[in-house]
Amino acid sequence: MEILWFLIAVLLLGAALGPFLLRRRGGIRLAAPGSPDAADPEDYGFVRQEALDVRLPGPDQDLLDVLDVVQRTQDWRAASQLLAGTPKEGEVRWQRVQSFAGAASLELAQRPGEGGRWLRDWRSESPKDAGGAEVHAEFLVQQAWRSSSSDKDDFRIILEEAKELCGQAALLAPGDPVPYIVELSVARGLGYSRAEFDQLWAKVIDRAPTHLGAHLVALHYLSEKWHGSRAEADTFATHAASRAPQGSLLAALPLFSVYDHLPDVILVNSFYRSAVLTRAVEGALFAVHAARPDDPMLAHVRHMLILFLVRSERWAEAVQQIAAVDGYVGALPWTHNPDPAADYTLHRNLAVAGYEANGGSPATLRG
């Protein structure tokens, strides 16, 4: 019986991975690193796996400069100044709050009891600093999701503390949507009722009606895996996309809903060419083309497109998206993997292999 189950498992694994490791039409295979047939990422101007930045979805030089200072000196003041000068409107403040919180969380994981001291000092030395309160709340949210499971007492205790901090941050920063966006993650973990969620969402929408990041966090709450259903999530995403103003990346939200509801194992090769998925991909591509080049959420959409374009075997389009964001992997879908850089690099290699098998080259990409 054990042998039978082993054979079934092998067949399922082969069916799931087969489309990515071998394409019948065109015979696309991944060459081993160092092989004469392996594409050199530097030929395309791509960054090698070990140098990919897992902290950010795309470039933010001001943030990187401040993170370097803060982590080198363990002095929080530069982070406080950057957030104080970051407008409440738009998406940049939310992303920077996430990045500071993520940096402190990573430091603590690497050096338990010592890492992230600058955040503790920030909160103790300047408790009325709105930016510090927001970063601390987001830090607790990330700690809860990373260090425990949702059925554990310590998970709820950490999120209850984060909820209290969100309330403090909201009082310190009137009109700022970030405390309420952070609380959306708390709502998912603590299982807010639908009425409580709707009240919280109304506060977000009042302050930032077209905030894609907020919609992404709300979408997780509404997903089938948490407190909604696929139909509810799809309706939420479709409505947001349909009322998105010209140039808004909200038009890409249905693709994120598709991602949230991907089955664990996909045995049908045509799944990634289905009408629903194709429509979502086309909507996201339209949003990318219509968006401002400096839209801070553009990289998030491009990263998600890379996953689906590769799995749909749309190699040239995938390589174009990779060329636009390469160097940074701090975004979905890669951050759902314990090694985001490795997951991204696998998809990048597949895209390049498919691109070259169909006549593409570094010269044609640049052309």
Side-chain angles (χ1 to χ4, degrees), residues 90-131:
E91 314 257 358
V92 175
R93 184 177 177 88
W94 173 67
Q95 292 199 53
R96 287 176 172 175
V97 166
Q98 283 195 308
S99 296
F100 282 129
S105 181
L106 182 59
E107 278 188 41
L108 185 61
Q110 293 171 339
R111 303 193 310 279
E114 179 186 351
R117 189 185 74 243
W118 55 270
L119 179 55
R120 294 192 293 275
D121 292 345
W122 188 356
R123 295 293 295 132
S124 63
E125 295 172 19
S126 187
K128 300 299 184 182
D129 187 319

Side-chain angles (χ1 to χ4, degrees), residues 12 93 226 252 290:
L12 288 173
R93 184 177 177 88
W226 290 99

Side-chain angles (χ1 to χ4, degrees), residues 6 58 75 85 114 119 141 150 168 200 209 223-226 228 232 236 249 278 297 324 333 362 364:
F6 174 76
D75 189 333
E114 179 186 351
L119 179 55
V141 168
S150 59
Q168 294 177 19
L200 177 59
S223 74
E224 189 175 62
K225 297 174 184 175
W226 290 99
E232 287 178 286
F236 174 79
L249 286 166
T278 300
M297 292 300 290
T364 58

Side-chain angles (χ1 to χ4, degrees), residues 130-189:
E134 290 173 353
V135 172
H136 191 189
E138 175 64 25
F139 167 81
L140 290 174
V141 168
Q142 294 189 23
Q143 285 294 103
W145 288 109
R146 289 175 179 172
S147 62
S148 186
S149 57
S150 59
D151 60 344
K152 301 293 185 181
D153 289 342
D154 58 340
F155 177 85
R156 297 191 63 84
I157 291 170
I158 295 171
L159 286 186
E160 289 286 1
E161 185 179 354
K163 178 181 179 180
E164 182 178 345
L165 273 171
C166 288
Q168 294 177 19
L171 292 175
L172 293 170
D176 187 346
V178 170
Y180 301 104
I181 297 172
V182 175
E183 192 179 347
L184 287 172
S185 292
V186 175
R188 177 163 60 102

